[in-house]
Amino acid sequence: MGKVVLGVAVGVAVAACTVAALVVGRRVRSRRKWKRVVGVLKELEESCETTVGRLKQVVDAMAVEMHAGLASEGGSKLKMLLTFVDSLPSGSEKGIFYALDLGGTNFRVLRVELGGQRSDLDPDVEQQPIPEQLMTGRSEDLFDFIASSLYQFVEKNDSVQSPITKLLGFTFSFPVKQTSVSSGVLIKWTKGFAIRDMAEKEVAGALQQALTRKGLNMRVSVLVNDTVGTLALGHYHDADTVAAVIIGTGTNACYWERTDAIIKCQGLLTTSGGMVVNMEWGNFWSSHLPRTSYDVKLDAESPNPNDQGFEKMISGMYLGDIVRRVILRMSEESDVFGPVSSRLYVPFTLRTPLMAAMHEDDSPELTQVARILKDFLDIPDIPLKARKLVVKICDVVTRRAARLAAAGIVGILKKIGRDGSGGITGGRSRSDIKMRRTAVAVEGSLYTQYTMFREYLHEALNEILGEDIARHVVIIVTEDGSGTGAALLAASHSSENVNNIQLI
């Protein structure tokens, strides 16, 4: 009997030891898997590091590239395009002005009434979809359709038979080679448009002809892009505005430059002594930018590899997809997110607004993170610590983007002597330089709707410039530079003859 009891006890002990060994084994394997995931995160953090020293190198590189782009065509990754806009709204403009904003599958028409004093603007706005057949048909048909819509819009508020010529600001968000403030040649269509007979033709002229055919006494007085419109709107509200940045789905910047600094157009004269330069800064590149393996793959798989490198690191089009790529790698190296979801292999499954919602989820259990992972990436029921990991990934990617955007802004300020350095490379401030108040207009959902992005950008501005200089730099938020800003530019150019700008 004793032997039987002893045998049972030994069996139980062996079983217990086996179970314990299995439990310990699972814990060891789990720790190893978690260690691998943490290693991926640590590698990401190190690759995305944006120390103040590194950001100042980016600042210097941006300023150098700006100089090079102004010196010669093709001399820089920055195109530094002339806009021929040589005056910005002052707030003294009076009258009724119109704008047309054409940049996608919809277009907008606006009417702005100005009373001669800076005030809140309340434009009348209408939006219309463009019939699909007009996006690939004849240019005459497209512009006739737009002219008819403009005619109906004007008719609601003003006399279309008035002998007084109405002025229109035209925002055309497609690649254009500007030839004057009110004319430019289409380089190529994008965004689903493919109207062959418009290739290398003058854009504003095509619209003007359609307005004439319709019998509408309206003149296209400015042809601009949305970034220039943002600068105009910022300057209307704040005369210290010297630059504008759009940080949304895409990104770009423009600024006010002295004409004598535009070396590639020697002999360029403007009555104001300055001109707005469209940087096309999305194409900026420098070896100082903190690039990761995820950025390299995203770029290689994009429709435009080796192009728009800065935009791919800081704009809303791409941030969510960088996060997706990090989560995919972690899933492939560990089962912390469960079996690898097939949705993780689909580019742009995780859009930046979803990423922002996860990043800013402040619920104790991170319920928003859980919902988005389940609904959009097909990753259900992951533990809280894995959800926290996702939030951290979002934080690293967003922080890098915001801080690089801040460095870009300071690069512009450095180029025009508004960063307190007195032109000293390396951004060292000088105490003997009197800083002028400087405003930068910013527009775009990534800045206006993503709180963490905005806070990281401001934090970086303070760190790069130093508090003494940073307090003189003001970020002002604008809304609808592409529409209202274009109408304001029509107003600021209303009393001017065509040849305010001369080449001698």
Side-chain angles (χ1 to χ4, degrees):
M1 184 68 178
K3 288 181 180 179
V4 172
V5 171
L6 180 61
V8 170
V10 170
V12 170
V14 169
C17 288
T18 303
V19 170
L22 287 171
V23 170
V24 169
R26 283 198 194 101
R27 285 177 180 169
V28 169
R29 284 193 297 275
S30 178
R31 283 177 189 149
R32 283 176 184 161
K33 288 175 182 176
W34 186 253
K35 192 174 181 181
R36 283 201 295 271
V37 167
V38 170
V40 171
L41 177 62
K42 186 176 180 182
E43 178 190 294
L44 177 71
E45 288 177 308
E46 290 173 351
S47 300
C48 288
E49 188 60 54
T50 49
T51 62
V52 177
R54 177 169 233 169
L55 291 177
K56 287 183 176 180
Q57 289 175 319
V58 174
V59 168
D60 288 343
M62 179 69 79
V64 167
E65 288 296 310
M66 290 172 73
H67 277 286
L70 291 172
S72 63
E73 291 292 349
S76 166
K77 292 283 275 185
L78 296 175
K79 291 186 174 65
M80 304 300 285
L81 303 174
L82 305 188
T83 66
F84 297 90
V85 172
D86 71 329
S87 67
L88 291 169
S90 64
S92 63
E93 293 80 10
K94 292 183 180 181
I96 294 171
F97 302 91
Y98 290 84
L100 165 65
D101 179 13
L102 176 61
T105 54
N106 297 294
F107 71 93
R108 296 183 306 141
V109 289
L110 299 89
R111 176 184 182 273
V112 179
E113 189 165 357
L114 304 174
Q117 294 180 340
R118 282 191 171 96
S119 59
D120 291 336
L121 300 168
D122 186 23
D124 299 316
V125 185
E126 278 188 12
Q127 178 170 300
Q128 282 205 41
I130 296 174
E132 196 171 329
Q133 68 272 19
L134 294 183
M135 296 170 65
T136 56
R138 298 188 314 149
S139 59
E140 189 171 305
D141 294 336
L142 172 66
F143 286 109
D144 280 347
F145 176 75
I146 291 171
S148 294
S149 298
L150 261 170
Y151 188 98
Q152 293 166 16
F153 180 73
V154 171
E155 201 172 27
K156 290 177 183 177
N157 299 288
D158 300 309
S159 169
V160 291
Q161 305 301 328
S162 170
I164 300 172
T165 302
K166 298 169 179 63
L167 298 181
L168 177 76
F170 185 13
T171 298
F172 187 72
S173 298
F174 299 91
V176 165
K177 180 176 174 56
Q178 200 95 16
T179 52
S180 77
V181 72
S182 59
S183 62
V185 175
L186 176 70
I187 296 172
K188 65 177 179 179
W189 288 108
T190 57
K191 307 172 190 177
F193 283 78
I195 301 173
R196 292 183 181 178
D197 67 5
M198 268 302 293
E200 298 184 4
K201 288 191 177 178
E202 207 281 295
V203 176
L207 174 61
Q208 190 67 64
Q209 290 167 15
L211 294 172
T212 302
R213 284 193 296 271
K214 189 63 185 174
L216 183 56
N217 187 12
M218 179 176 280
R219 178 169 65 84
V220 181
S221 60
V222 290
L223 175 68
V224 295
N225 74 1
D226 52 358
T227 317
V228 178
T230 296
L231 177 57
L233 184 54
H235 198 270
Y236 177 83
H237 289 298
D238 189 328
D240 291 329
T241 305
V242 297
V245 177
I246 290 181
I247 314 175
T249 305
T251 185
N252 191 18
C254 70
Y255 74 105
W256 183 261
E257 181 61 275
R258 302 184 335 271
T259 48
D260 61 5
I262 307 174
I263 300 169
K264 62 185 175 183
C265 282
Q266 285 187 334
L268 185 70
L269 291 179
T270 67
T271 54
S272 64
M275 181 188 291
V276 177
V277 173
N278 170 20
M279 293 173 62
E280 292 293 335
W281 87 346
N283 206 41
F284 169 67
W285 188 252
S286 164
S287 60
H288 298 300
L289 291 172
R291 202 180 197 201
T292 69
S293 58
Y294 311 103
D295 298 305
V296 173
K297 288 181 180 178
L298 185 152
D299 180 58
E301 295 168 12
S302 71
N304 56 339
N306 300 314
D307 198 25
Q308 298 296 103
F310 194 49
E311 181 171 80
K312 287 170 182 172
M313 296 176 82
I314 73 169
S315 80
M317 179 72 187
Y318 301 99
L319 300 189
D321 202 57
I322 296 171
V323 170
R324 174 193 68 83
R325 290 167 184 274
V326 179
I327 296 173
L328 172 60
R329 183 179 164 194
M330 288 181 172
S331 293
E332 289 176 335
E333 296 198 8
S334 142
D335 62 0
V336 67
F337 295 111
V340 181
S341 168
S342 60
R343 299 278 285 277
L344 281 172
Y345 291 100
V346 181
F348 301 102
T349 306
L350 184 64
R351 298 286 180 179
T352 299
L354 296 173
M355 182 202 81
M358 292 195 295
H359 188 193
E360 297 184 334
D361 185 357
D362 58 1
S363 63
E365 296 298 312
L366 297 176
T367 51
Q368 273 280 71
V369 176
R371 181 190 66 79
I372 291 168
L373 290 175
K374 180 182 178 181
D375 293 351
F376 293 92
L377 295 179
D378 199 19
I379 301 175
D381 307 322
I382 63 169
L384 181 59
K385 71 175 183 177
R387 281 174 250 162
K388 289 181 178 178
L389 186 68
V390 171
V391 173
K392 183 61 180 175
I393 297 167
C394 296
D395 186 72
V396 172
V397 171
T398 298
R399 185 172 186 269
R400 179 188 68 163
R403 289 171 70 81
L404 290 177
I409 291 171
V410 179
I412 297 172
L413 300 184
K414 184 180 183 66
K415 168 64 183 70
I416 59 177
R418 296 288 191 105
D419 70 328
S421 70
I424 303 169
T425 303
R428 299 186 301 276
S429 62
R430 277 176 43 181
S431 58
D432 61 333
I433 293 177
K434 184 175 175 60
M435 272 295 294
R436 295 170 57 188
R437 182 180 181 276
T438 299
V440 178
V442 177
E443 191 166 312
S445 57
L446 200 61
Y447 181 85
T448 59
Q449 297 177 25
Y450 194 169
T451 304
M452 292 300 294
F453 182 96
R454 186 167 61 249
E455 289 179 355
Y456 279 140
L457 187 148
H458 288 186
E459 175 187 74
L461 283 176
N462 280 322
E463 289 179 16
I464 300 167
L465 292 168
E467 288 187 10
D468 288 344
I469 302 299
R471 61 191 175 88
H472 296 284
V473 177
V474 180
I475 301 292
I476 59 172
V477 176
T478 63
E479 187 176 347
D480 193 28
S482 61
T484 309
L488 291 171
L489 282 168
S492 66
H493 287 76
S494 61
S495 61
E496 301 165 5
N497 293 322
V498 176
N499 270 336
N500 242 2
I501 302 174
Q502 302 174 28
L503 283 168
I504 61 170

